[in-house]
Amino acid sequence: MPAALYTIALFYGGCADIGLPTMPEVPFDKITHFGAFLGLEWLLELALAEAAAAPRRRAAVTMSAGAGGLLELAQAALPYRSAEWLDLLADSLGALAGAWLLMLLVRWRTPGAAEASRELP
C-alpha cells in the first residue's frame, strides 16, 4: 500500500501544473527525479519482501524505472509539462541506486554473510 500511495503522489506531482524552483547551476529537476525513483524502488522492495532477493530487486528496479517511463509519457501529453529522456535516465539511475544501496545496507548490517543480500534491512 505505501508503494501505491507513493506512486500516486509521484504521478500527481509529476502531472500537476505547478512551478518548480529553477537554479541553472543546479540540476534540481534531475536530482528530484533520481531521489523520487530511488524511494519508489525501496518501497517496491518492501512490498515484494516475500520474494527472493535477485527477482525482488529486478522487479522493483523494473517497476520503478517503468513508472518513470509512464510518467514521462503522461507529461508528453500535457501542454504545460514536457517529457525528457534525461528525466527517464535520472528515474532509472535512481531505481538502480536504490537497489544497490539496499544491498550495501544489508551486507553492512550482517558483516561476513555471503547470503546477506537476500534479506531486507
Side-chain angles (χ1 to χ4, degrees):
M1 184 64 129
L5 293 174
Y6 188 87
T7 303
I8 291 167
L10 277 178
F11 272 78
Y12 177 78
C15 292
D17 188 8
I18 55 174
L20 297 173
T22 58
M23 295 173 28
E25 60 279 351
V26 178
F28 181 76
D29 177 50
K30 305 309 178 247
I31 293 168
T32 302
H33 277 266
F34 183 90
F37 287 88
L38 181 148
L40 179 58
E41 195 280 336
W42 285 352
L43 290 173
L44 288 167
E45 280 216 38
L46 288 173
L48 301 169
E50 298 300 318
R56 178 184 65 238
R57 291 211 169 95
R58 278 192 301 270
V61 168
T62 300
M63 287 188 290
S64 183
L70 290 174
L71 179 56
E72 292 306 313
L73 287 174
Q75 288 178 342
L78 298 171
Y80 50 87
R81 299 297 289 214
S82 64
E84 296 181 28
W85 286 107
L86 288 177
D87 286 349
L88 180 57
L89 179 62
D91 300 343
S92 300
L93 291 175
L96 287 168
W100 181 72
L101 288 171
L102 271 181
M103 187 175 64
L104 287 179
L105 179 61
V106 168
R107 288 184 180 177
W108 174 73
R109 287 185 59 193
T110 52
E115 300 296 313
S117 64
R118 294 201 174 134
E119 302 297 323
L120 284 173

